Amino acid sequence: MKQYQLKIHKDKYIPVMVDAKLPELEPSEIRIAMDAWSINYRDLLISAFNSDISREGLVPLSDGSGIIVEVGTNVSRLKVGQRVCPIFFHDWRTGSFKETDIQSALGGSFPGVLSEQIVIDEKSVVVIPEQFSAIEASTLPCAAVTAWQALFVRGNLNENSTVLIQGTGGVALFALQFAKAVGAKVIITSSSDQKLQFAQKLGADVLINYQKIPEWDKEVKIATEGVGATHILELGGPDTFSLSLNCLSAGGYILQIGVLTGFGAQTNLMRLQSINATICGISVGSRVHFENMIDFMIRHNIKPIIDMIFPFTEATKAYSYIASAKHTGKICITHE
């Protein structure tokens, strides 16, 4: 079969297509013929060179969908012919997150899905309902589940909430659609007026171009009559965190997800204490979160926003495109 593996090239890892052996099937595993994949900003971070972590030979990407073509002798939950998505953390199926679950992140510490076939434990997939195409389903495991856990599992979002969302990437647009589905107010920041207009069509209530308004925290306070946002999807990282904290409401939530501006803290947390607010570190979610999210999406007729689709043979172009930051929504890969 054809498969992509990360190979070192100069100062980074690049995905290279190789001929790979079909993996053998253990009794509790299923074999999936993959139909579609999607890429996340995380995949760019993983491809960056790190002298402490070897990525040589790693199969990249956490997100994909396909059809079960074979089941192990002990498999009882699933059957051949069902459409499924692997979950992001192979071992986080239900209950609370454990630190050891980090080692089971697909396309990171654990082999990813950018391969014509994969083998995975039957308990580490979700069944795709008929309402989603293969490409649509491929966008869900990381970005959508991240937005779901942030807003509903950790953030207790409701119709009285005001959500500030940074950007218009995958997590951002899923969060926008989820928040509007329950009647929350949504504020969107972006450097592009065109992207802001797109977000407005999806229901965004307040649009802020942060290049034109660098002190966007003040604009958020104005838009909320001085109260601030009850929920902030913090996707920027160190360069945006202080501004987020400035415009967070009393008792509000900073949902820490992204590192678009790098790593490291650059803020004074005294305000967090003084307004009785909460920071929640968000790292995707469990299989149960995924399943609950799918039910929610079906009830509210929510579909993923897909920007661009690349053929499997040109998967490297998906990396270049997400690095350009020109996308609005998800970037996908599929068979030609």
Side-chain angles (χ1 to χ4, degrees):
M1 66 176 181
K2 298 295 183 183
Q3 179 183 85
Y4 280 90
Q5 296 179 3
L6 295 183
K7 304 291 184 182
I8 190 69
H9 179 71
K10 295 182 180 178
D11 60 345
K12 65 179 180 179
Y13 290 98
I14 61 170
V16 176
M17 186 187 288
V18 300
D19 290 313
K21 205 185 226 185
L22 283 172
E24 294 184 4
L25 203 64
E26 295 295 328
S28 64
E29 292 180 328
I30 59 174
R31 187 186 308 280
I32 306 170
M34 300 297 292
D35 289 322
W37 305 261
S38 69
I39 188 169
N40 298 288
Y41 183 74
R42 163 192 184 254
D43 298 306
L44 278 186
L45 298 179
I46 286 174
S47 67
F49 179 72
N50 184 332
S51 59
D52 296 326
I53 303 172
S54 175
R55 306 291 190 191
E56 186 74 22
L58 176 71
V59 180
L61 304 196
S62 58
D63 291 16
S65 68
I67 298 174
I68 300 174
V69 293
E70 187 181 358
V71 299
T73 54
N74 292 345
V75 170
S76 58
R77 179 173 169 259
L78 301 164
K79 60 185 179 181
V80 170
Q82 285 183 294
R83 300 188 309 139
V84 292
C85 280
I87 60 177
F88 183 90
F89 289 109
H90 182 276
D91 295 342
W92 190 15
R93 296 152 185 169
T94 188
S96 300
F97 183 77
K98 303 183 294 296
E99 191 166 354
T100 53
D101 291 334
I102 296 172
Q103 301 304 315
S104 71
L106 273 60
S109 304
F110 204 87
V113 299
L114 194 53
S115 180
E116 289 186 319
Q117 291 192 10
I118 67 167
V119 161
I120 194 167
D121 192 282
E122 66 162 335
K123 295 179 181 178
S124 298
V125 301
V126 299
V127 176
I128 302 168
E130 63 182 9
Q131 287 88 343
F132 295 102
S133 69
I135 291 175
E136 289 171 338
S138 77
T139 70
L140 302 177
C142 182
V145 178
T146 296
W148 174 263
Q149 193 207 165
L151 294 180
F152 296 112
V153 180
R154 305 288 292 284
N156 303 306
L157 187 81
N158 59 53
E159 68 275 10
N160 299 314
S161 304
T162 298
V163 186
L164 169 64
I165 300 171
Q166 298 171 356
T168 56
V171 175
L173 292 190
F174 279 119
L176 168 56
Q177 293 181 91
F178 293 169
K180 294 309 299 180
V182 298
K185 181 177 181 178
V186 174
I187 303 170
I188 289 277
T189 68
S190 174
S191 62
S192 164
D193 286 337
Q194 183 178 359
K195 291 181 178 181
L196 287 171
Q197 289 168 8
F198 185 87
Q200 187 175 41
K201 292 177 181 177
L202 292 176
D205 301 284
V206 179
L207 314 175
I208 302 174
N209 187 316
Y210 64 78
Q211 282 196 339
K212 296 178 180 178
I213 308 175
E215 295 181 330
W216 49 261
D217 54 329
K218 296 178 180 178
E219 196 72 12
V220 172
K221 294 298 286 285
I222 292 170
T224 56
E225 300 179 341
V227 174
T230 60
H231 296 71
I232 298 179
L233 258 72
E234 176 48 65
L235 297 163
D239 290 358
T240 57
F241 192 90
S242 292
L243 294 173
S244 292
L245 197 52
N246 289 344
C247 61
L248 181 65
S249 74
Y253 296 86
I254 288 183
L255 305 158
Q256 183 62 48
I257 297 169
V259 289
L260 294 176
T261 64
F263 298 87
Q266 295 182 10
T267 191
N268 186 334
L269 295 179
M270 184 59 70
R271 173 170 164 75
L272 189 80
Q273 178 183 350
S274 67
I275 63 171
N276 282 289
T278 302
I279 300 176
C280 297
I282 305 296
S283 187
V284 198
S286 68
R287 191 191 81 201
V288 170
H289 295 154
F290 197 158
E291 291 167 340
N292 291 341
M293 179 200 72
I294 285 177
D295 291 342
F296 177 88
M297 292 180 72
I298 291 173
R299 286 199 311 274
H300 293 280
N301 194 29
I302 295 173
K303 289 297 189 79
I305 305 300
I306 296 169
D307 182 291
M308 187 76 76
I309 301 172
F310 293 92
F312 181 75
T313 54
E314 298 178 6
T316 54
K317 291 184 178 179
Y319 277 78
S320 299
Y321 189 55
I322 198 169
S324 74
K326 294 178 181 178
H327 61 292
T328 304
K330 293 296 295 179
I331 300 165
C332 297
I333 300 164
T334 189
H335 286 295
E336 295 176 272

